[in-house]
Amino acid sequence: MSALTVLALAVGFVLLIGGGEVLVRGAGGLAATLGISPLVVGLTVVAFATSAPEFAVSVDAALSGYPGLAVGNVVGSNIANILLILGLTAIVAPLVATSRIVRVDIPIMVLFSVVALLVALDGTISFLDGLLLFAGLVAYVVATIVISRKQDGGRAAAASEDPVGDGAGGGAARDAAAGDDAARDAAAGDDPAGGASAGETRSSGVASSHPVLVSSVFVVVGVALLVVGARLLVAAASDLASAWGMSDLVIGLTVVAVGTSLPEFATSVVAAIRGERDLAIGNIVGSNMFNIGAVLGMTSLITPIDVAPGAVRFDLPIMLAVSLALLPIAFTGMAIKRWEGLLFTGFYAAYVVYVVLQAADHDALDPFSAAMLWFVIPITALWLIGLATYELGLLRGRRQARARPVPAHDGATDTGTGGPG
């Protein structure tokens, strides 16, 4: 491994991070002009922008004859996004999971992971497979934006009916919304007073207003930086693979995957610190769907992608399992707490250790695999099932409490004049 390879790797990472940051700013400015909510911005525009490094790397790798790097980059990035990026972000600031994320977006992300595994079973992601993945993504984005615009329009109409806020409907709605926000903040373990930082984010963060021309220039410059950085990263990664005797799949699953996930990490941490904690989760969930639908889908539209048997047997199922694990984690307390972030980060470290031991055919691989397969994973699965069951019980109890009729009050008893005078 030469010094030139190390330099190309470092410069490629820097260009990817810088390009992703510039692209996020430009895309966020354009999205703000459409009046889209921060959560939808995270699920669509920001997710696409932060997935641009994966797209650039995968397309370049597939065209350069490194299909394992193209697949490993997407699969490794999706695993890193949930276990490492969401884990570290939750450690920095506990994350709020809205009901929409839990009921709609995470299950759709799981569905994308299932489809990706199914189309890869024959060892190739073909043109038709890519068309299916990309069409599913387009349908999701269109439905998300249309539904969001309708909901925002409905809320605006309701607000216009009670502009002063003194009416029963408007005041009650605002009180309920404030109560929900406070409850979510309490569940996440943070001070509800953090709303001030959230307000600052809306005025100066991802969803801030930018002139359309300036935002468009940001998008173009960001894409250019990503393309150049991707070419350098692919060249350096292929040199590393040959120098270390490792396959391009392993390099894609580890080094390149973490590198291309850095824009997601920067975006999610900044969003969490500034109070836009639903955007932080939306960015990761949306990015994973874009990685499968746009990166794998559009790359296979350009050229068919050969999938290594090891990826079909292990890495793609792990990606699906990680996506499934996010559902109960986000469902319990409608938040991702710090201890859950630590759990995710620990599992990512274990995953990387396994990938490296497998690539090196190390003697410690068998005992490590046995410990994970028979002890750590089953215990964690049972724990998550127990937490989800407990949360379902709490929700059922709240519904039953709300459904109970309120007993009628006796005026005579209240005034203490029940008997004749």
Side-chain angles (χ1 to χ4, degrees), residues 79-128:
I79 295 172
N81 280 345
I82 295 177
L83 295 183
L84 181 63
I85 307 304
L86 263 188
L88 291 176
T89 305
I91 293 172
V92 173
L95 303 176
V96 172
T98 64
S99 59
R100 183 229 153 90
I101 284 280
V102 175
R103 290 185 295 105
V104 178
D105 300 302
I106 294 179
I108 293 178
M109 179 187 68
V110 172
L111 178 61
F112 268 94
S113 301
V114 171
V115 175
L117 176 59
L118 292 177
V119 299
L121 288 177
D122 60 356
T124 303
I125 301 178
S126 64
F127 179 90
L128 291 178

Side-chain angles (χ1 to χ4, degrees), residues 4 19 30 53 103 108-109 117 160 174 212-213 232 249 265 289 294 319 322 333 351 370 376 399 414:
L4 189 60
L30 291 176
R103 290 185 295 105
I108 293 178
M109 179 187 68
L117 176 59
S160 65
R174 269 184 292 278
V212 175
L213 179 60
L232 289 173
L249 174 64
F265 176 63
M289 287 187 277
M319 181 184 73
V322 167
Y351 169 74
V376 178
R399 292 194 189 99
D414 292 339

Side-chain angles (χ1 to χ4, degrees), residues 313-398:
R313 289 194 308 266
F314 180 75
D315 300 297
L316 281 163
I318 288 293
M319 181 184 73
L320 174 58
V322 167
S323 300
L324 284 169
L326 180 58
L327 191 56
I329 286 288
F331 177 67
T332 51
M334 301 302 288
I336 302 178
K337 303 179 182 67
R338 282 192 172 90
W339 72 265
E340 293 168 330
L342 287 169
L343 178 68
F344 271 3
T345 306
F347 268 112
Y348 185 74
Y351 169 74
V352 171
V353 169
Y354 177 86
V355 170
V356 172
L357 289 177
Q358 185 184 46
D361 197 19
H362 198 276
D363 294 338
L365 178 62
D366 289 338
F368 182 83
S369 302
M372 293 298 295
L373 182 61
W374 297 108
F375 294 100
V376 178
I377 294 178
I379 291 174
T380 304
L382 290 174
W383 190 10
L384 293 179
I385 293 172
L387 287 175
T389 303
Y390 174 73
E391 189 74 18
L392 285 172
L394 290 179
L395 291 175
R396 191 178 298 112
R398 294 192 193 106

Side-chain angles (χ1 to χ4, degrees), residues 237-261:
S238 60
D239 289 344
L240 284 176
S242 59
W244 293 348
M246 301 171 70
S247 68
D248 52 352
L249 174 64
V250 172
I251 295 296
L253 287 167
T254 54
V255 179
V256 178
V258 173
T260 54
S261 292

Side-chain angles (χ1 to χ4, degrees), residues 149-299:
R149 295 296 295 272
K150 287 183 178 179
Q151 291 175 342
D152 291 343
R155 283 192 290 268
S160 65
E161 294 176 1
D162 187 18
V164 179
D166 294 331
R174 269 184 292 278
D175 291 343
D180 289 343
D181 290 340
R184 285 198 299 268
D185 286 333
D190 270 0
D191 186 0
S197 61
E200 293 170 1
T201 303
R202 291 185 181 93
S203 62
S204 62
V206 176
S208 61
S209 297
H210 291 279
V212 175
L213 179 60
V214 174
S215 298
S216 301
V217 171
F218 273 33
V219 170
V220 173
V221 172
V223 170
L225 291 174
L226 289 171
V227 170
V228 175
R231 293 198 66 87
L232 289 173
L233 196 59
V234 169
S238 60
D239 289 344
L240 284 176
S242 59
W244 293 348
M246 301 171 70
S247 68
D248 52 352
L249 174 64
V250 172
I251 295 296
L253 287 167
T254 54
V255 179
V256 178
V258 173
T260 54
S261 292
L262 290 176
E264 282 90 344
F265 176 63
T267 302
S268 295
V269 168
V270 170
I273 291 175
R274 292 182 177 179
E276 296 283 7
R277 287 169 288 179
D278 54 347
L279 189 150
I281 300 180
N283 172 39
I284 297 300
V285 174
S287 180
N288 279 15
M289 287 187 277
F290 272 92
N291 282 346
I292 296 173
V295 178
L296 274 185
M298 293 184 68
T299 302

